[in-house]
């Protein structure tokens, strides 16, 4: 028979394998607990949305919409769809569709896959996971500060250090429009010095020219008109108030007047958390205020602010700082060998699960020795052994697999009546602090 070609994953899209599950679980548990502790509630939206949501919401002239979206026409009904490249637009769409802000503002969080057709490299993938929070209907800047405080707390809880907070303001739309005019005039006067991307952006999105990494354009960009000089009293006061709150909370930051972010919906606050430890993919979290997005997407105007972090980048950084959570496969591993041993083994395992104790029953047949090896490798605290003689006598043996603290009753193997075994193990586990092991 001809050998079949192996089918591989799509380039830039990763499998999460069981060996990595402990660190993912730790991340997911931590972000959920921290978001909950600030009163944020979970929200889930589809990974597939109408393409127009992103072209209108994120902006036609952004890299994300222009070059990175997985867009296609549904061959069954002709709808134009895109895999979501981010989730702020989807959350706002859902908030409008379900009239979520009818009686009060909302704090929500999400965790899920996003899709961008970028050139894959360490920390940059075509499918990646974001944890994000959106505060819908809050005028700020108190909630802007709250979100930044939450991210700062998260780094601590995840074991991450040495991250830098960069902050900027993009002011009001009218202020940005005046600055934009000035930028266009300035760059028109220096057309020869613009690279191809900058020329392309000149009338579409001149602010993004300031983002350039091209060394030949640095001088030109440095001397360009600065948005800060076009800001009115209100915008300055907004930023000053946010700065005061961050200082009061002891959160260090630097103002980066060139931070513009890659999505068009921002106004006032924008921020990014960066690290030196991950090479060129240095931004682990980005966010800001998007007061105009509700209206752009057809809803009643409502001020909003939020952030999203790339889980893969955050996990890489956790590993850089030596955070390697481990997780045993189970607490009890049930070994059964011989005639009539499977039924009692399954019975005790079900009783253990009734008590909330994670239990694996050895699958298939194997010698006692080989099953005990598997029990050890599982990371379980106890092996529960059902041999033929034990089964016949209605008994099971309990064997601790690691050295347990002295206060526990199981210093060695004990044979006990089968119907008492689950409760005895449960009582033991209650007195064992797994941190002592
Ligand atoms: P963003 O800056 O486009 O913002 O993405 C947020 C984070 O997602 C980035 O800082 C990065 O950590 C991660 N990320 C982005 N692209 C990739 C990729 N290709 N591979 C791995 N990680 C990636 C947003 O998405 C906004 N929705 C954030 C926001 C929420 N603003 C207000 N609310």
């Amino acid at each position: 028979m001809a050998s079949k070609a192996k089918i591989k994953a799509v380039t830039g899209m990763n499998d999460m394998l069981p060996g990595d599950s402990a660190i993912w679980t730790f991340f997911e548990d931590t972000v959920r607990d921290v978001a909950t502790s600030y009163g944020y509630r979970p929200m889930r939206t589809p990974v597939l949305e109408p393409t127009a949501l992103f072209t209108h919401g994120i902006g036609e002239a952004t890299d994300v919409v222009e070059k990175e979206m997985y867009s296609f026409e549904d061959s069954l009904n002709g709808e134009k769809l895109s895999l979501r490249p981010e989730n702020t637009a989807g959350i706002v769409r859902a908030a409008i569709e379900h009239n979520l802000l009818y009686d009060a503002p909302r704090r929500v969080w999400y965790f899920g896959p996003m899709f961008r057709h970028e050139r894959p490299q360490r920390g940059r993938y075509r499918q990646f996971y974001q944890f994000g929070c959106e505060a819908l209907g809050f005028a700020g800047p108190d909630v802007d500060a709250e979100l930044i405080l939450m991210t700062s707390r998260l780094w601590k809880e995840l074991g991450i250090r040495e991250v830098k907070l960069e902050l900027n303001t993009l002011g009001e739309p009218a202020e940005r429009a005046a600055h934009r005019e000035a930028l266009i005039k300035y760059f028109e006067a220096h057309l020869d010095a613009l690279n191809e991307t900058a020329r392309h952006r000149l009338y579409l999105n001149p602010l993004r020219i300031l983002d350039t990494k091209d060394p030949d354009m640095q001088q030109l960009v440095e001397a360009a008109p600065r948005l800060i000089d076009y800001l009115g009293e209100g915008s300055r006061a907004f930023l000053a108030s946010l700065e005061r709150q961050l200082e009061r909370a002891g959160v260090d930051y630097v103002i980066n007047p060139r931070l513009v972010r890659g999505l068009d919906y921002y106004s006032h606050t924008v921020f990014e958390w960066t690290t030196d430890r991950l090479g060129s993919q240095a931004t682990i979290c980005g966010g800001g205020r998007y007061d105009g997005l509700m209206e752009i997407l057809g809803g009643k105007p409502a001020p909003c602010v939020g952030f999203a972090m790339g889980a893969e980048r955050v996990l890489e950084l956790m590993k850089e700082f030596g955070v390697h959570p481990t997780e045993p496969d189970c607490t009890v591993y049930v070994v059964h060998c011989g005639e009539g041993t499977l039924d009692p083994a399954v019975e005790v395992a079900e009783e253990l699960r009734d008590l909330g104790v994670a239990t694996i029953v050895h699958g298939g047949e194997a010698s006692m020795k080989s099953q005990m090896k598997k029990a050890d490798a599982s990371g379980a605290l106890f092996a529960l052994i059902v041999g033929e003689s034990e089964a016949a006598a209605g008994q099971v043996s309990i064997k601790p697999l690691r050295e347990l603290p002295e206060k526990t009753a199981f210093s060695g193997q004990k044979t006990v009546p089968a119907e008492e075994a689950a409760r005895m193990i449960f009582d033991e586990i209650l007195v064992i602090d797994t941190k002592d092991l």
Side-chain angles (χ1 to χ4, degrees):
M1 209 166 73
S3 70
K4 298 206 175 88
K6 276 190 204 144
I7 298 175
K8 292 202 173 155
V10 177
T11 306
M13 303 201 178
N14 301 310
D15 300 304
M16 194 271 289
L17 302 175
D20 252 346
S21 69
I23 191 163
W24 278 92
T25 304
F26 176 65
F27 174 81
E28 288 171 42
D29 288 352
T30 307
V31 296
R32 186 198 52 233
D33 290 352
V34 169
T36 306
S37 77
Y38 282 79
Y40 286 69
R41 303 289 298 270
M43 196 162 151
R44 288 184 201 161
T45 55
V47 293
L48 213 51
E49 295 273 5
T51 300
L53 174 67
F54 304 116
T55 49
H56 296 168
I58 299 175
E60 302 254 21
T62 57
D63 281 353
V64 170
V65 168
E66 226 175 19
K67 306 184 202 152
E68 297 168 2
M69 282 218 293
Y70 283 92
S71 298
F72 59 93
E73 203 174 286
D74 185 336
S75 61
L76 298 177
N77 61 9
E79 278 183 277
K80 290 190 165 58
L81 304 173
S82 295
L83 283 170
R84 61 182 184 190
E86 59 98 59
N87 206 23
T88 306
I91 292 283
V92 169
R93 189 234 356 107
I96 297 168
E97 196 167 328
H98 304 285
N99 200 15
L100 278 190
L101 303 189
Y102 77 101
D103 61 343
R106 297 269 180 179
R107 291 174 164 93
V108 303
W109 67 268
Y110 51 84
F111 176 70
M114 310 294 155
F115 304 84
R116 296 184 193 178
H117 197 119
E118 297 194 75
R119 198 166 45 79
Q121 53 175 268
R122 182 187 182 202
R124 195 208 272 160
Y125 307 107
R126 290 183 177 169
Q127 175 177 318
F128 58 97
Y129 281 76
Q130 278 187 350
F131 161 68
C133 286
E134 312 291 351
L136 308 171
F138 293 92
D142 53 342
V143 179
D144 306 41
E146 170 183 291
L147 285 162
I148 293 175
L149 252 57
M150 190 201 300
T151 49
S152 167
R153 178 184 294 272
L154 266 171
W155 309 141
K156 281 192 206 104
E157 304 233 341
L158 293 170
I160 287 174
R161 301 185 303 274
E162 297 166 33
V163 280
K164 190 168 99 182
L165 173 63
E166 297 183 23
L167 192 64
N168 191 22
T169 176
L170 300 182
E172 297 277 349
E175 295 157 5
R176 275 202 305 287
H179 174 239
R180 184 192 148 97
E181 286 305 306
L183 272 183
I184 292 176
K185 267 207 193 105
Y186 170 80
F187 286 124
E188 276 177 340
H190 297 88
L191 260 190
D192 290 347
L194 296 186
N195 65 20
E196 204 182 316
T197 318
R199 276 185 207 187
H200 172 69
R201 286 177 172 162
L202 181 56
Y203 300 105
L204 282 171
N205 196 346
L207 203 61
R208 290 296 313 282
I209 300 179
L210 304 178
D211 240 4
T212 182
K213 305 232 160 42
D214 184 343
D216 294 339
M217 282 180 52
Q218 291 310 311
Q219 232 180 342
L220 182 72
V221 162
E222 290 289 345
R226 297 179 324 159
L227 176 61
I228 198 144
D229 298 322
Y230 291 80
L231 294 182
E233 222 17 72
S235 292
R236 285 169 201 265
F238 193 99
L239 177 63
S241 168
L242 173 58
E243 288 188 69
R244 215 170 26 251
Q245 291 175 57
L246 293 180
E247 274 153 29
R248 207 183 142 73
V251 177
D252 292 335
Y253 63 90
V254 289
I255 296 284
N256 174 1
R258 287 175 57 184
L259 179 68
V260 294
R261 310 256 313 120
L263 312 160
D264 273 1
Y265 47 59
Y266 293 111
S267 55
H268 289 292
T269 313
V270 284
F271 65 92
E272 281 186 357
W273 286 95
T274 59
T275 171
D276 294 336
R277 301 274 198 127
L278 295 182
S280 57
Q281 302 312 308
T283 309
I284 54 167
C285 174
R289 183 157 276 287
Y290 47 97
D291 291 346
L293 188 56
M294 281 275 178
E295 209 175 353
I296 289 173
L297 295 178
K300 285 198 207 103
C304 306
V305 56
F307 69 78
M309 61 184 64
E312 289 82 357
R313 291 185 194 177
V314 173
L315 260 58
E316 275 284 305
L317 199 53
M318 287 162 67
K319 290 178 187 167
E320 281 283 315
F321 285 107
V323 181
H324 291 289
T326 52
E327 211 177 40
D329 295 338
C330 60
T331 309
V332 177
Y333 194 99
V334 183
V335 166
H336 53 94
C337 203
E339 199 65 29
T341 59
L342 180 62
D343 290 349
V346 170
E347 224 162 87
V348 192
E350 284 295 307
E351 283 171 27
L352 279 161
R353 293 171 190 139
D354 285 345
L355 295 169
V357 180
T359 305
I360 288 179
V361 178
H362 183 84
E365 285 178 18
S367 70
M368 188 68 91
K369 196 168 158 207
S370 120
Q371 291 194 39
M372 285 306 288
K373 266 196 188 156
K374 292 269 175 0
D376 235 349
S378 73
L381 287 182
F382 296 98
L384 206 144
I385 304 160
V386 194
E388 273 181 8
S389 56
E390 280 136 331
Q395 291 182 319
V396 298
S397 294
I398 301 169
K399 182 175 182 198
L401 292 175
R402 39 222 74 231
E403 213 166 305
L404 300 177
E406 271 175 23
K407 55 192 168 198
T408 58
F410 287 89
S411 48
Q413 185 165 327
K414 256 192 180 182
T415 303
V416 303
E419 66 270 17
E420 285 172 30
R423 173 55 64 177
M424 287 172 92
I425 291 180
F426 178 71
D427 289 345
E428 278 313 286
I429 290 166
L430 285 186
V431 297
I432 299 170
D433 185 349
T434 40
K435 283 193 217 97
D436 292 343
L437 298 174

